[in-house]
Structure formats: C-alpha cells, structure tokens
C-alpha cells in the first residue's frame, strides 16, 4: 500500500498535464487517445494487459481485466472517464493543466472530476501487481472518453460495440460518491451514490413574424422565447423524495439532531454547507437555461429564436418532468432533445454495500455511510444497461472546510493528497474482498 500512496499524487499530476478537454465536438476536443495510451503504458509497466478501442479517431477507451482468485464469482467494474470540461487559464491561480502540487493539494482541471479516481485506481492496481495481491473476484477497469458530453463516444460506444469486455460484471463503482461531510470531530457522513438523475438537454425554438425593428410588433420570436426561458429559469419544481433521499434525510436528521420537514427540506440541508446545492438539486426535477441564440442585425426582428436548457429528472419522474416542462413552455415554443439518457437507481444493501461501510469505518471510525442521489450524471447510465448495479464510490476523507461542490467544473479545481491516500486504503480493503 505504501507504493500506491506514495505515487498517486504524481500519477494524478501527470494525467492532468494531458489536456483531455471535451468541447462536445470531436474536431476541437483533444487528448483522450494520449491519455488512454498513458494509462496503458502504466499498466504495462507492471504486467497488466489492456485494450484500446476508438469510437472515432482520437476518442479512445481502454479496458483491462485483473483476474481474481475465485472464478465462480461475478466480476466488478471500476470505471472512470479521462475527458474533462474546458478551463480558461486566465481565471485560475495556477495553469489548469499544470498538475501543480501545492499546499498538500494537486491542482488542475480534472483533479476532482475525475482524474483523482483514475489515479487512485491506477496506483492501487499497480501496487497489487508489484506485490502479488489478487482480488477475490475479477476486477474490470475501464478508462473511457466523452463522459462530459453524454458518453456517446465513450461508455455508450463500449457497451454497444464491445460489451464482451464486461462479461460477468454485475456491479460497478465510479465517481461522485464515498466523500465525507464533517458533522463533528467524531462523526462524518460518507455519501455513497446509489442513484443519479436522468439527462434531458434540449433546444427550445420560438417562431414569430420577422420584420423591421422600428415597427410595433406583437409576434416577436425573441420576446416569446425570453418569456418561456424566464418561466423555466425562475420556477422551482416540486419536491419529490425518492427512496435514497429519504434515507439520506433521515441520516442528516439523526446526525444533526434536527427535524426535517419532508415537504420543505432545504432549510435543514443548509447545515451541510456548500454541498447542499448538489443535494438540494436531487430533491426535485430541474431545468436551467444555459445558452441563447437569436437574430442577426439590430434593426431586424428575426423569425425564430432558440435556447438550450439543461434538464434533469429523478428516477421514475420522466413523464412528470416532460409534463412540467410543457406547461412552462407556452404556445409557439417547441422543444427537441439534444441529449437524452435514463435516470439510474439501486438500493443501499447487499454484500458489496456492507463491505463499503466496513472499509470506510476501518479507515475512519467516525464514518457513517449513507446513500444519496446525484444531481448530475455519470457513465453508470451506460453500464447499468448491461445489468450492473452501479454505485458512486470514490472514497475521500475531505478537509472539513473544503468547498468540495464548487470544485466540480469550477475554478482552481484541486484535491487533497491526504484524501486520495485515504481513498486508496479504503479501495484496497473494499476491492480485495468485494
């Protein structure tokens, strides 16, 4: 374990230095092939074979299998994505692709989302290979492309065209789960993701009558679109408590000794600090306007105007979400899906969950593992279609004062080296037996 803990920061720094920015357009995205080849080389150094499959030139996905000692047991998948969202160096304290190590942190785009988990996984299996450790069951590793744009060139491609590489996998772990919220010195809640919202990115288009900008004009596409966007952006959709969030709220109520109104839990969630923004979004369907496009000259009223909206729906709420959205659009505004993908949910029980709990408590006696729903999405949407139970379990014991939620896609993204070393110890305990 010492070897894995000592090299994880350098592995992460090296991986951050490979710019894998995903713009959503293959022509302007970069680095995924180079990153996959780098991972392959690190695995090859310790005798672990891997294969790389491209969905398009440069959009590379790597898979490796580590054989377990019990061939009768089903396999477990550990998956992570290699791509990152764009970053503007002018906004950062350090260059976002420097991988700088400073003040006990590794800084750079992807440090939290999710090259930290990639580096932790890689450090651990390299240490296993060097020291002769074998897990109980097969562990399949997948380092994929394109997660930040919906995964069509990454996990979805691999599931559709190379499902044989995941033969026997019944469970999977990946990002955005297993991180801590400090309640007090002797109690930390570790949030294990058992569900994530569905993805509904859409384009809205309003039609109107074009004309001269100086005329009185009552059929204006820009006005019609603006009114619809204002309704969507200012409307808070109703609270819906799914099973994992009921369990989560019960745990918060007990940990903090507060009563939580199930119809209005936001006030109680404010105790969780910045992470409450992420948690609060998992209590309802959401739709947020993100981009606008209309017109071509100041004195010309255009015949159409468009906007994009980032929509997310809870498990079991797909039809209700579409109904809510249509009520907000109004007449003369149509919608079309840009990216649409399912919500995913499993239960917080079973032998693997028990092992997660035990591994966390072995490394942190103050740990209490609780399920939650992630407001965003991961590649679990793809792998769940192969029949896997998917969990977010990238264990991190975070500094109590760290604004963790703001680091996802944020400025000065960084991860504590101590947190990653803790994560490696937990993953080692879990993956040896899981």
């Amino acid at each position: 374990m010492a070897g894995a803990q000592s090299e994880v920061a350098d592995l992460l720094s090296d991986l951050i230095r490979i710019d894998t920015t995903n713009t959503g357009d293959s022509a302007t995205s970069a680095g995924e092939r180079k990153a996959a080849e780098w991972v392959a080389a690190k695995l090859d150094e310790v005798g672990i074979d891997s294969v790389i499959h491209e969905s398009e030139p440069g959009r590379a996905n790597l898979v490796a299998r580590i054989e377990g000692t019990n061939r009768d047991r089903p396999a477990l998948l550990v998956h992570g994505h290699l791509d990152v969202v764009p970053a503007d160096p002018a906004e950062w304290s350090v260059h976002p692709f420097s991988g700088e190590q400073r003040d006990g942190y590794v800084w750079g785009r992807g440090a939290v989302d999710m090259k930290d988990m990639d580096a932790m996984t890689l450090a651990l299996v390299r240490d296993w290979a060097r020291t002769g450790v074998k897990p109980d069951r097969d562990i399949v590793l997948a380092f994929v492309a394109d997660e930040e744009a919906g995964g069509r060139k990454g996990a979805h491609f691999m599931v559709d065209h190379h499902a044989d590489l995941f033969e026997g996998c019944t469970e999977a772990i990946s990002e955005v789960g297993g991180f801590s919220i400090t309640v007090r010195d002797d109690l930390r809640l570790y949030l294990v993701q058992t569900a994530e919202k569905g993805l509904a990115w859409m384009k809205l288009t309003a039609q109107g009558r074009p004309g001269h900008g100086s005329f009185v004009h009552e059929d204006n596409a820009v006005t019609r679109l603006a009114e619809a966007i204002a309704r969507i952006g200012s409307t808070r959709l109703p609270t819906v408590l799914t099973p994992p969030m009921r369990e989560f709220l019960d745990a918060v109520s007990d940990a903090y000794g507060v009563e939580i109104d199930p119809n209005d839990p936001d006030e109680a969630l404010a105790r969780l600090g910045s992470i409450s923004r992420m948690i609060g979004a998992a209590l309802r369907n959401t739709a947020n306007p993100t981009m606008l496009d209309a017109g071509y000259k100041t004195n010309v009223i255009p015949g159409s105007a468009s906007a994009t909206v980032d929509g997310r729906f809870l498990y079991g709420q797909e039809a209700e979400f579409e109904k809510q959205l249509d009520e907000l659009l109004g007449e003369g505004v149509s919608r079309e899906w840009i990216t649409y993908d399912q919500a995913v949910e499993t239960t917080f029980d079973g032998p693997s969950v028990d092992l997660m709990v035990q591994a966390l408590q072995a490394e942190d006696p103050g740990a209490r593992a609780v399920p939650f729903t992630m407001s965003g999405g991961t590649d679990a949407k793809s792998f769940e279609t192969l029949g896997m139970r998917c969990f977010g379990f990238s264990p991190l014991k975070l500094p109590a004062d760290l604004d963790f939620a703001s680091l996802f896609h944020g400025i000065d993204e960084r991860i504590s080296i101590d947190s990653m070393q803790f994560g490696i110890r937990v993953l080692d305990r879990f993956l040896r037996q899981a």
Side-chain angles (χ1 to χ4, degrees):
M1 284 308 302
Q5 293 181 78
S6 65
E7 77 168 357
V8 67
D10 288 340
L11 288 175
L12 177 56
S13 291
D14 288 347
L15 192 50
I16 287 172
R17 292 185 190 111
I18 303 172
D19 181 352
T20 53
T21 297
N22 185 353
T23 64
D25 178 1
S26 292
T28 54
S29 296
E32 289 166 336
R33 176 80 198 195
K34 183 178 180 182
E37 290 176 344
W38 178 86
V39 172
K42 292 299 179 183
L43 292 173
D44 185 63
E45 283 178 2
V46 294
I48 299 174
D49 295 330
S50 62
V51 294
I52 293 176
H53 292 285
E54 289 187 332
S55 55
E56 294 178 1
R59 311 309 298 270
N61 304 278
L62 177 147
V63 178
R65 183 178 288 254
I66 298 170
E67 290 190 358
T69 57
N70 188 345
R71 306 301 295 165
D72 294 328
R73 293 193 64 200
L76 181 144
L77 172 66
V78 182
H79 61 95
H81 61 87
L82 295 170
D83 61 320
V84 298
V85 296
D88 181 357
E91 297 176 328
W92 286 56
S93 300
V94 303
H95 194 284
F97 298 105
S98 67
E100 182 173 332
Q101 296 181 31
R102 188 179 75 188
D103 302 326
Y105 287 78
V106 179
W107 297 62
R109 177 59 85 219
V112 165
D113 186 10
M114 64 165 295
K115 290 182 176 180
D116 58 338
M117 179 61 170
D118 295 336
M120 287 158 55
T121 302
L122 191 56
L124 178 61
V125 299
R126 280 165 56 86
D127 189 80
W128 280 1
R130 287 190 296 258
T131 57
V133 171
K134 289 284 188 180
D136 188 60
R137 60 167 157 168
D138 284 10
I139 304 294
V140 176
L141 309 177
F143 297 85
V144 300
D146 198 40
E147 191 272 348
E148 296 292 1
R152 295 295 164 185
K153 298 174 177 65
H156 273 296
F157 169 80
M158 295 300 290
V159 165
D160 291 343
H161 299 281
H162 300 283
D164 59 299
L165 295 174
F166 310 104
E167 179 68 31
C169 290
T170 57
E171 295 172 307
I173 63 168
S174 189
E175 61 178 327
V176 199
F179 59 90
S180 66
I181 295 175
T182 299
V183 179
R184 55 180 187 266
D185 288 345
D186 64 346
L187 178 61
R188 276 160 294 280
L189 300 180
Y190 283 83
L191 280 58
V192 177
Q193 183 203 138
T194 60
E196 60 182 55
K197 295 172 80 174
L199 185 64
W201 292 349
M202 70 200 80
K203 179 181 179 180
L204 307 182
T205 302
Q207 303 291 341
R209 182 164 51 86
H212 199 288
S214 68
F215 294 172
V216 174
H217 204 94
E218 296 180 354
D219 187 16
N220 189 316
V222 176
T223 303
R224 182 170 292 120
L225 178 71
E227 290 171 345
I229 285 295
R231 285 192 297 271
I232 291 170
S234 61
T235 298
R236 173 171 285 199
L237 298 174
T239 298
V240 177
L241 291 185
T242 57
M245 293 310 291
R246 285 186 182 276
E247 289 188 59
F248 176 78
L249 291 176
D250 286 345
V252 169
S253 176
D254 180 67
Y256 288 92
V258 296
E259 291 291 329
I260 296 181
D261 180 353
N263 296 312
D264 186 20
D266 296 273
E267 182 178 352
L269 288 181
R271 291 174 175 265
L272 303 179
S274 63
I275 204 73
S276 64
R277 300 196 307 277
M278 179 189 294
I279 300 301
L283 296 172
R284 55 182 56 86
N285 301 325
T286 58
N288 287 305
T290 53
M291 293 193 293
L292 294 168
D293 183 24
Y296 51 88
K297 197 171 188 296
T298 303
N299 63 346
V300 177
I301 297 171
S304 66
S306 64
T308 61
V309 173
D310 183 336
R312 313 276 175 150
F313 55 89
L314 292 165
Y315 187 79
Q317 283 281 303
E318 186 172 352
E320 179 63 20
F321 173 70
E322 292 191 32
K323 178 183 176 183
Q324 292 167 339
L325 187 66
D326 288 343
E327 290 174 351
L328 292 170
L329 287 180
E331 294 184 3
V333 181
S334 62
R335 62 171 165 84
E336 60 179 301
W337 302 123
I338 300 171
T339 301
Y340 199 96
D341 212 340
Q342 66 169 348
V344 176
E345 185 172 296
T346 189
T347 52
F348 191 58
D349 56 17
S352 291
V353 169
D354 293 341
L355 283 172
M356 290 179 195
V357 172
Q358 293 167 19
L360 287 167
Q361 291 179 340
E363 293 298 330
D364 180 3
R368 180 178 176 183
V370 297
F372 86 111
T373 297
M374 183 194 170
S375 59
T378 74
D379 285 324
K381 298 182 185 306
S382 301
F383 294 115
E384 193 270 348
T385 64
L386 294 179
M388 300 182 209
R389 294 181 70 200
C390 295
F391 300 90
F393 190 64
S394 175
L396 297 167
K397 183 181 179 183
L398 298 171
D401 58 350
L402 181 67
D403 185 358
F404 187 57
S406 294
L407 298 178
F408 286 87
H409 298 186
I411 308 303
D412 286 342
E413 186 179 350
R414 61 196 181 277
I415 189 68
S416 162
I417 296 172
D418 286 344
S419 294
M420 289 192 294
Q421 292 173 340
F422 169 87
I424 285 173
R425 296 193 300 271
V426 173
L427 287 173
D428 180 57
R429 290 178 181 274
F430 172 68
L431 291 175
R432 285 188 191 222
Q433 305 176 66

